[in-house]
Every structure is written in structure tokens, then in C-alpha cells.
Amino acid sequence: MMRPCSLSEFVGQQNARRILSVLITASKRRGEPVPHLLMSGQPGLGKTTLARIVASEMNGRLIEMVGSSLKNAAEMTAQLLELKPNDVLFIDEIHALPRKLEEVMYPAMEDRVITTSEAGYDDLMKQLGIRSGDKSRKSHQLPPFTLIGATTLLGLTTAPLRSRFRQIIELEPYGIEDLQTIVSNAATKLAFDLSAEAAREIALRSRGTARTAMGNLLWVRDFVVADGGVATMDALNAAFELRGIDQNGMTRTDREYLRRLIEADEPMGVETLASAIGESPETLEENVEPFLLRQGFIQRTGRGRVATEKAKQLFEEVVK
């Protein structure tokens, strides 16, 4: 198990850890669940891991759901009715939750009450093993629980839903030092001999996210083991070259994105760029553009994306 199991083991995200420590400690002393939380940030920053830690600290289960996969109120209601005290219901991509399902959540979040509507009531009761004729069971009290929503697009989370979370925690990209520590700790757990220099090089190529750092570490380990050697800097560079990741952490997709933008020499919309390089607009917006924006390689304008002078100066160096 390479994931941290407690806040003390979790590296980075100092502000988020301090907030969660306060909320968990206060909740335990009051004998109450941790208040509902909304976590935002790009993929790979630790939202799911932090939710799992909250559940562990409160001796509850982590129930994971994905907002975009939930389609009907009966499904959501059934899940809520199966909650046990101190469970953590974690909804990823909560910004994609259909509005009718949001409305199911409002009384559950505010009063721990779930009310089944006439629409789909019989089917739901049958699913739960409750006689459909028993209309007195339409309103149900829920046990103390915590809802943790996660989103990569905080601005798309509706105001009514957002206002019902006690705390909004915004996760930030990791610094190199924290990523190096994460890589070194994971290498130790894997019994993989990795120098501090190599751990730092992996961190430098990991785009500010823990998930990418872990993926890079596992790839380097596989490359070294398959090659029958040791994790020298030469082996590390060869591993990244084979995968198409340069010293700036840029992938082939990043470089192709920049190449198209620079050669166009005019603003381009994300739909046009996605079509040109064979990716979905969502992939570009969630996985490619945040990194390029942080690095100062692109800007978003009212007319579309444009390459910066910094990108143009580095183009010959990083685009192959």
C-alpha cells in the first residue's frame, strides 16, 4: 500500500492538511461526523486519498461514486439509504451531477433526511425490499455521515450545491521538494533502490502532481528491472525518452499542442486544437492546458489559445 493512511503520512498540501486536522479533531471531540467538504483541483493532487484518510480517521467506510455516471434519483437515494454512521460518501466529478440528483442531496446534507418522490417510488422500494404500499416510509432519517465532493472544475459546481458544503478546500500543484519526498518514500516501500538525485529528476518531470510522480516512478522501476540494471541517471533518462517525456515534463501531446499553436501564429479554439492532434477537448482542458498555463507557454484569450514568447523561444529546444 503506497497511499498514505493518515494526515501525518500525507506529503504536501499543507493548508488542506491543517484544515482537515482541525475538522477531524473537533468532530471527534463533539462526537459528530466531519462536516461536508468540497475539494477542488486538477487530477492527481490527492482528493481521493484525503477522502479515504477522513473515513479512516472517523472509523467509517469510504463509499465512492462518480457524478457523471449517476443518472437517476432512485440510484442516489438507494446509496444514501445504505449509509452507516460516520461513512464518507465521496462523489468525484461532482460538478457533473445532474440537477435533479443535486436536489436529492440538499435535504440529506442539511437535515440528514431523504424523501422519495412519487416518480420511481415503487421501483425504489422494491429495490430496497420495502413494501411499495407502505407510504409511511417515504421519508427516511439518515445516519450521521460526511459528503465529500471532488471537482476539477469548481466554477461548474452550481451555487446551491456549493453553498451547502461547510468547507471548500482548494488543492494546489505540488512543489519539487514535496514530489521528491513522495517519490523517495514510495521507492522505499517498493524496496526500489533510488538515489536522491534520481528521485528529484522524477519529481522535475511530474508536472506538479503526485499521481504523475507515482506513475513515473513505477515506469522507471519497470524499465530498470526489465533492463536488468540499476537506476542510474542514464537509465532514468532512457526510460523517459522511450515514454516521450522531456526534461520539462512535457509529453508528446504537449509538444504537438504547442507546435500546432505556434505554427498557426494566431489564436486557436480548443475544439480546433483537439481535432488537429486527435484528442478530446476535455483531455486538453483537464490534462494538457493546466500544465502549459502554469509553465507560461500558453494564454487563454477571448479569441482562443495563443502561444507565449516563452513557448516560441523554447520551441526549437522542446519540440522534436
Side-chain angles (χ1 to χ4, degrees), residues 204-224:
L204 286 167
R205 302 189 192 216
S206 295
R207 306 166 72 87
T209 72
R211 183 181 301 161
T212 302
M214 292 304 305
N216 285 341
L217 170 64
L218 294 173
W219 166 245
V220 168
R221 183 188 65 160
D222 288 345
F223 184 90
V224 169

Side-chain angles (χ1 to χ4, degrees), residues 158-208:
T158 65
L161 179 61
R162 195 163 59 238
S163 67
R164 286 172 167 83
F165 288 98
R166 174 83 67 83
Q167 185 76 45
I168 298 177
I169 299 176
E170 298 185 47
L171 304 186
E172 301 291 336
Y174 288 78
I176 299 303
E177 299 299 329
D178 284 339
L179 285 177
Q180 182 178 349
T181 300
I182 289 170
V183 169
S184 294
N185 290 348
T188 298
K189 291 180 180 180
L190 291 168
F192 179 49
D193 188 13
L194 193 71
S195 68
E197 181 185 16
R200 185 171 184 83
E201 187 64 27
I202 291 173
L204 286 167
R205 302 189 192 216
S206 295
R207 306 166 72 87

Side-chain angles (χ1 to χ4, degrees), residues 96-162:
L97 198 65
R99 187 60 182 266
K100 63 182 179 181
L101 269 64
E102 282 190 23
E103 293 172 356
V104 172
M105 295 301 304
Y106 295 161
M109 295 174 71
E110 293 179 324
D111 303 313
R112 299 209 314 272
V113 170
I114 188 72
T115 303
T116 54
S117 63
E118 290 294 341
Y121 177 77
D122 289 345
D123 288 342
L124 175 61
M125 294 300 101
K126 186 182 298 183
Q127 179 181 344
L128 297 175
I130 299 172
R131 286 191 306 109
S132 60
D134 187 0
K135 299 300 182 182
S136 65
R137 298 295 299 276
K138 286 184 65 177
S139 183
H140 302 263
Q141 187 70 42
L142 300 177
F145 77 100
T146 300
L147 172 64
I148 298 182
T151 177
T152 56
L153 300 168
L154 183 60
L156 294 186
T157 307
T158 65
L161 179 61
R162 195 163 59 238

Side-chain angles (χ1 to χ4, degrees), residues 305-317:
R305 278 61 169 165
V306 295
T308 64
E309 289 302 319
K310 179 180 179 181
K312 293 174 183 178
Q313 290 171 5
L314 291 176
F315 184 70
E316 295 298 329
E317 190 177 316

Side-chain angles (χ1 to χ4, degrees), residues 50-71:
L50 288 171
R52 185 174 286 109
I53 288 173
V54 172
S56 176
E57 292 281 1
M58 300 304 294
N59 295 316
R61 301 176 302 165
L62 180 71
I63 312 299
E64 298 185 57
M65 308 179 77
V66 179
S68 59
S69 69
L70 296 169
K71 302 302 180 185

